[in-house]
Amino acid sequence: MPPSGITVRLQKEENSSARHNVSPYLGQDYHRLVQECLKQRQLFEDPHFPAKSKSLGYNELGPFSENTKGIQWRRPQEICQSPQFICEDMKWTDVCQGELGNCWFLAAAASLTQYPLLKERVVPPQQSFKSGYAGIFHFQFWQYGEWVDVVVDDRLPVKEGELVFVSSAQKSEFWAALLEKAYAKLNGSYEALNGGFMNEAFVDFTGGLGETVKLKETPPNLFHLLQKAVKKKSLMGAFIQPQSQSQIENQTPEGLLTGHAYSIIATWEMKNNGKKIPLLRLRNPWGRVEWNGHWSDDSTLWSQVDPEIRKKLQVRGEDGEFWMQMEDFLRFFDILEVCNLTPESVTDKHAQLWKTNTFCGRWLGHSAGGCRTYKDTFWTNPQFLVTLTEQDEEKHGMCTLLVSLMQKNRRQCRSIGQDFLSVGFEIYQVPKEFDNKMCASERKNLFSSLVSVASCSFMDERDVTGRYQLPPGRYLLIPSTFQPHQESDFIMRIFTEKQHTFIEIDCEIRANGNVFKENALKDTMEEFSAQFARLSGEDQEISPEELQRILIQITSKNTHLKTNGFSLDICRKLVKMVDLNCNGKLQLEEFRKLWSKIKEWEKIFTNYDKDRSGTMDVQELCLALEAAGFTLNNQLVESLCQKYGNNVRQVYFDSFLSCLAYLVCVFEQCRIMDKNKDGVICISKEEASIYIKGTIYLHLQVFLLNLSIILFLLLCCLCLLQSCYWLARSFVIIIST
């Protein structure tokens, strides 16, 4: 009866509420630090974001830049007489831009002041310069799937007694300046905040999904979408694209600023002369400089409007807020940004909330396949299956699908010369036959027949988002970098108006029966026995050292196999795989079984060495493992690629054998764990991780045990020699006397 395979099923873990918790950023617990400072009677000084030039920046605000000369770090009480964290209440006028190109962040911060619950989440209350003051403040941001609490000391950059960066219209107020410092810390430096999009800050303030609309390619129902966005409590902003860097924040004759971020805070449909005129309310974060065209504060059109409506719409003087009709908005503005909020961000019972899902992933080695232009590797990218079951209430047979791809931690890398990668995604219709093709090789062969239904442009931005109208059905989402072999962590998120399912396409963990079966060799038993007798020496056993010598000798003659010399550790793993007697050496039958496996694996290795370089690409490792009888999930393949691949993503032949020997040993242990003998064991992901680590630990224990025995034997030999020495010396003394 042929040996049976073994399947490892990972038990689904219950969803925890951890995502609603807040983690201390860099392990700095705000409340503990406050207590320590008060106890020591010292003001807090942040070691992770010190009051030094490196916190300012790396280039234009670098240590030797002209822009940083004269900058000093001062606490608020050294800047004004009676500093306050918040004067009366947080208002949009508290956010005034300084000498930093981060109006995108400031516009988002100003918008935040209009949403009390969101505001209190980002800027926790009960902070002041009075009771309990310790020179430390904290703010909360959403970062890639979790909320983090960021602490900062209150030493701020000043030049000639004035704040260099953001300030408040009320000179004694500092919440905005400290919020900006916390955000700069989160991103590596103040200079890292130069240039960006409101949506990036919107997302970090809310955990929502950012969406960008090019207004010169406007969808016909845009005003309706904006009305729905207001009902869903979405954050919105817009800006005019400047033609050059010199035009940023230049004022147009209509009172608008180019390259400047405006917040959109309301919509209204005005009835005028029997017509419906769609209006938008915008806010300039400067708190001044307003639109002066139709429906501006001083427009004569307001004289035709009922005074009660005018009062309700808050038409007033120069305060940075103004109404603008949709036609003019589309004419002058270029980009609209919308941040769609998650149910966790909105507590309004009447808000129409999105259904959301999130997955954290990475492009790393074997899974960094590049865009679909690279046909040989594109299929290796992470893949996700979305099922849309219900059509929208307002759509005829269609579902709204928002897809967001977010790169992680790339802004922080600017100081070392790295920036955002060009990323995007493809959406394919999933055929019915896809269900039964979960193995990597089957999915690869199916790719050529997949039909693309949507895609997004590849962009070098943190968030790349698309809005799609699709009929109910199942769709395959494939995120990728534009170029292959570019590595980065990412987050994939989807929002729908109705229920949906969202899962990662992954393989079941399994070793089939061929893994444990001995393959036939070309040599007859007599021929193999003769070779074994010649190779094994007098003891008729092959040790790891002898196996090492045999493998090095054979592979040195084969130019199609590149190795690193077969370490003793690899040879011990190979011996352990078939060592039934557990004596650390191989007898004839054991060696025959091992050699049949090595010849089988050599053939597989050669087949997947496409360029005949003597090495195998890690992106082919998954297929090679499958050919050897193993189907593994993405996480295991990633771990094996990191462990057995070199720094240029190649697997040598000796590493390939080591990898397979390791897997055979692991799955042999899984078969032992199969008490019911039904070929299936169920364990949690945590148990699987502990078990794999435990297997490695066991190998280490065996090595240390063997080392201890050797040392013990050496010690015994030394004691014996010492005894012989003293015995001989005593004998000499007796004779001499």
Side-chain angles (χ1 to χ4, degrees):
M1 182 176 177
S4 61
I6 184 73
T7 299
V8 180
R9 289 182 182 156
L10 300 180
Q11 296 170 343
K12 292 184 178 180
E13 299 172 356
E14 294 294 328
N15 291 330
S16 68
S17 59
R19 61 178 179 169
H20 303 305
N21 295 336
V22 181
S23 303
Y25 184 63
L26 301 178
Q28 293 177 293
D29 184 273
Y30 169 73
H31 297 287
R32 181 178 58 81
L33 289 171
V34 168
Q35 293 305 313
E36 287 179 359
C37 290
L38 293 176
K39 184 177 180 180
Q40 297 170 6
R41 297 185 179 181
Q42 292 181 344
L43 295 180
F44 178 64
E45 294 186 1
D46 189 358
H48 293 291
F49 200 67
K52 295 181 180 179
S53 57
K54 68 177 183 179
S55 297
L56 294 175
Y58 45 87
N59 186 18
E60 294 180 2
L61 293 178
F64 305 105
S65 168
E66 287 290 326
N67 298 325
T68 61
K69 286 187 176 180
I71 289 182
Q72 298 176 317
W73 297 80
R74 295 285 182 266
R75 296 190 188 270
Q77 57 268 40
E78 299 172 313
I79 300 172
C80 66
Q81 288 188 349
S82 301
Q84 296 184 62
F85 185 63
I86 299 173
C87 296
E88 298 177 2
D89 193 13
M90 290 170 61
K91 302 180 294 297
W92 52 264
T93 54
D94 299 342
V95 186
C96 301
Q97 191 171 354
E99 297 179 20
L100 199 61
N102 65 342
C103 64
W104 58 277
F105 167 74
L106 304 182
S111 294
L112 193 66
T113 64
Q114 301 301 304
Y115 298 86
L117 294 175
L118 293 177
K119 174 178 65 178
E120 288 189 7
R121 181 69 190 258
V122 176
V123 186
Q126 311 304 320
Q127 300 188 79
S128 73
F129 291 94
K130 297 178 182 178
S131 60
Y133 169 71
I136 180 173
F137 293 84
H138 69 130
F139 302 86
Q140 294 179 6
F141 304 100
W142 184 90
Q143 283 288 280
Y144 315 119
E146 68 170 351
W147 283 90
V148 293
D149 190 74
V150 181
V151 303
V152 289
D153 61 38
D154 59 356
R155 295 176 295 176
L156 297 168
V158 299
K159 187 183 288 187
E160 298 178 356
E162 298 290 332
L163 289 171
V164 175
F165 305 125
V166 73
S167 61
S168 171
Q170 302 182 71
K171 299 301 181 181
S172 61
E173 187 171 50
F174 289 93
W175 73 264
L178 292 167
L179 173 69
E180 181 187 48
K181 182 175 183 179
Y183 200 62
K185 176 181 177 178
L186 192 66
N187 287 280
S189 67
Y190 278 97
E191 188 173 1
L193 303 185
N194 265 330
F197 298 90
M198 268 186 293
N199 262 340
E200 189 172 337
F202 278 158
V203 169
D204 289 343
F205 288 160
T206 66
L209 183 148
E211 183 180 3
T212 300
V213 179
K214 294 181 180 179
L215 295 174
K216 299 306 183 250
E217 304 169 8
T218 309
N221 60 341
L222 179 60
F223 186 70
H224 177 64
L225 294 177
L226 292 176
Q227 288 177 308
K228 290 182 68 175
V230 170
K231 291 179 181 178
K232 291 179 183 292
K233 304 298 181 182
S234 301
L235 304 180
M236 293 181 285
F239 64 91
I240 302 168
Q241 196 83 49
Q243 297 300 314
S244 65
Q245 194 74 13
S246 62
Q247 292 184 2
I248 291 179
E249 295 186 344
N250 282 356
Q251 187 172 339
T252 69
E254 295 79 19
L256 300 173
L257 299 166
T258 58
H260 187 71
Y262 289 81
S263 306
I264 299 174
I265 57 176
T267 62
W268 185 263
E269 208 161 34
M270 182 69 71
K271 295 179 182 179
N272 188 37
N273 295 328
K275 295 182 179 180
K276 291 183 178 180
I277 302 174
L279 299 179
L280 302 178
R281 187 163 179 80
L282 282 76
R283 177 188 297 120
N284 181 348
W286 284 2
R288 54 186 177 80
V289 185
E290 297 183 8
W291 159 253
N292 56 33
H294 296 309
W295 298 101
S296 62
D297 287 359
D298 297 325
S299 171
T300 56
L301 292 172
W302 289 109
S303 61
Q304 306 170 31
V305 177
D306 186 287
E308 288 297 318
I309 295 179
R310 182 173 178 175
K311 182 179 180 181
K312 179 180 179 179
L313 297 183
Q314 297 181 312
V315 179
R316 52 201 178 200
E318 182 82 355
D319 57 3
E321 292 188 17
F322 54 88
W323 287 96
M324 192 176 193
Q325 68 185 41
M326 192 71 181
E327 181 182 341
D328 288 331
F329 175 74
L330 295 176
R331 178 184 171 194
F332 289 101
F333 282 86
D334 297 305
I335 301 293
L336 167 69
E337 295 183 308
V338 181
C339 180
N340 303 281
L341 301 184
T342 65
E344 290 79 17
S345 302
V346 181
T347 58
D348 187 345
K349 296 180 180 179
H350 303 290
Q352 301 173 8
L353 304 179
W354 293 98
K355 312 300 181 185
T356 70
N357 240 312
T358 301
F359 185 89
C360 297
R362 65 173 61 179
W363 300 289
L364 180 66
H366 74 289
S367 62
C371 69
R372 65 179 176 180
T373 302
Y374 302 90
K375 296 180 180 178
D376 291 338
T377 56
F378 177 63
W379 70 273
T380 65
N381 285 299
Q383 301 164 27
F384 304 90
L385 184 66
V386 178
T387 304
L388 305 176
T389 55
E390 296 181 66
Q391 65 185 46
D392 298 348
E393 292 177 359
E394 300 177 7
K395 303 294 178 185
H396 299 292
M398 304 298 279
C399 308
T400 298
L401 173 65
L402 294 182
V403 181
S404 172
L405 175 62
M406 179 188 298
Q407 302 179 63
K408 294 178 66 175
N409 305 315
R410 300 297 299 188
R411 188 178 285 275
Q412 291 90 326
C413 296
R414 285 180 170 178
S415 60
I416 57 174
Q418 298 179 10
D419 211 327
F420 295 117
L421 299 172
S422 181
V423 300
F425 53 84
E426 302 283 341
I427 304 178
Y428 294 91
Q429 184 82 49
V430 176
K432 291 181 180 179
E433 56 267 30
F434 193 85
D435 285 348
N436 300 320
K437 299 185 183 298
M438 295 303 288
C439 292
S441 59
E442 294 175 327
R443 293 208 311 274
K444 179 186 178 185
N445 295 333
L446 190 65
F447 255 66
S448 59
S449 64
L450 292 179
V451 178
S452 177
V453 295
S455 63
C456 72
S457 300
F458 280 74
M459 293 182 286
D460 53 351
E461 298 175 6
R462 190 185 76 163
D463 300 1
V464 178
T465 302
R467 177 187 286 258
Y468 308 98
Q469 301 296 325
L470 300 172
R474 298 188 310 150
Y475 299 92
L476 186 67
L477 268 62
I478 304 180
S480 72
T481 58
F482 186 78
Q483 299 285 346
H485 310 308
Q486 293 182 316
E487 299 184 348
S488 180
D489 291 338
F490 69 84
I491 282 187
M492 195 84 184
R493 296 195 294 162
I494 65 169
F495 281 38
T496 59
E497 292 195 0
K498 296 294 184 178
Q499 294 294 343
H500 66 266
T501 61
F502 182 55
I503 60 171
E504 182 188 19
I505 300 293
D506 210 348
C507 294
E508 193 171 50
I509 302 171
R510 188 174 189 276
N512 65 32
N514 292 331
V515 168
F516 311 104
K517 185 176 72 173
E518 179 183 345
N519 294 340
L521 291 170
K522 292 181 180 180
D523 298 337
T524 64
M525 190 62 189
E526 291 77 13
E527 291 172 331
F528 189 82
S529 297
Q531 291 179 8
F532 178 80
R534 179 174 55 81
L535 295 170
S536 59
E538 294 181 3
D539 62 355
Q540 291 294 285
E541 291 182 323
I542 291 180
S543 66
E545 290 79 8
E546 290 171 317
L547 179 61
Q548 182 186 42
R549 186 170 61 252
I550 293 168
L551 290 171
I552 291 174
Q553 184 179 359
I554 291 175
T555 54
S556 65
K557 299 176 183 177
N558 296 326
T559 56
H560 68 286
L561 299 175
K562 187 176 288 186
T563 76
N564 276 321
F566 286 99
S567 68
L568 269 178
D569 180 58
I570 291 176
C571 294
R572 289 190 187 99
K573 285 182 182 178
L574 291 169
V575 168
K576 179 180 173 60
M577 183 180 71
V578 293
D579 183 14
L580 300 177
N581 296 327
C582 299
N583 64 348
K585 294 184 178 182
L586 301 181
Q587 296 177 346
L588 175 61
E589 285 303 318
E590 294 170 331
F591 185 66
R592 181 179 177 84
K593 183 177 181 180
L594 172 63
W595 202 249
S596 73
K597 280 296 176 187
I598 289 177
K599 297 306 290 183
E600 175 194 349
W601 294 343
E602 178 190 345
K603 184 178 180 180
I604 293 171
F605 183 87
T606 304
N607 287 341
Y608 287 96
D609 177 15
K610 300 299 184 183
D611 59 358
R612 298 295 181 265
S613 64
T615 64
M616 184 171 58
D617 196 307
V618 294
Q619 288 186 312
E620 298 293 348
L621 181 61
C622 183
L623 295 174
L625 293 176
E626 185 182 307
F630 300 99
T631 55
L632 307 174
N633 68 5
N634 296 333
Q635 188 176 359
L636 280 174
V637 173
E638 180 181 307
S639 299
L640 294 175
C641 287
Q642 286 184 296
K643 183 176 181 180
Y644 296 102
N646 63 14
N647 57 356
V648 290
R649 307 179 187 86
Q650 293 175 331
V651 179
Y652 283 21
F653 181 57
D654 54 339
S655 296
F656 183 62
L657 293 185
S658 178
C659 175
L660 288 169
Y662 168 73
L663 288 174
V664 169
C665 291
V666 168
F667 279 99
E668 279 284 12
Q669 292 299 315
C670 290
R671 288 213 297 176
I672 294 171
M673 294 168 63
D674 180 17
K675 303 300 181 183
N676 298 328
K677 302 304 177 185
D678 60 355
V680 178
I681 64 169
C682 297
I683 58 177
S684 68
K685 287 186 177 181
E686 184 178 356
E687 287 173 331
S689 177
I690 292 172
Y691 176 72
I692 291 172
K693 291 177 182 177
T695 305
I696 297 170
Y697 178 66
L698 181 61
H699 290 317
L700 180 62
Q701 280 187 314
V702 171
F703 171 74
L704 291 175
L705 179 60
N706 292 336
L707 182 61
S708 300
I709 293 172
I710 293 170
L711 291 174
F712 176 74
L713 291 174
L714 285 174
L715 183 62
C716 290
C717 290
L718 287 173
C719 291
L720 182 61
L721 287 173
Q722 190 177 32
S723 299
C724 291
Y725 168 76
W726 285 110
L727 183 62
R729 184 174 179 183
S730 300
F731 183 71
V732 170
I733 292 172
I734 290 171
I735 292 176
S736 63
T737 56

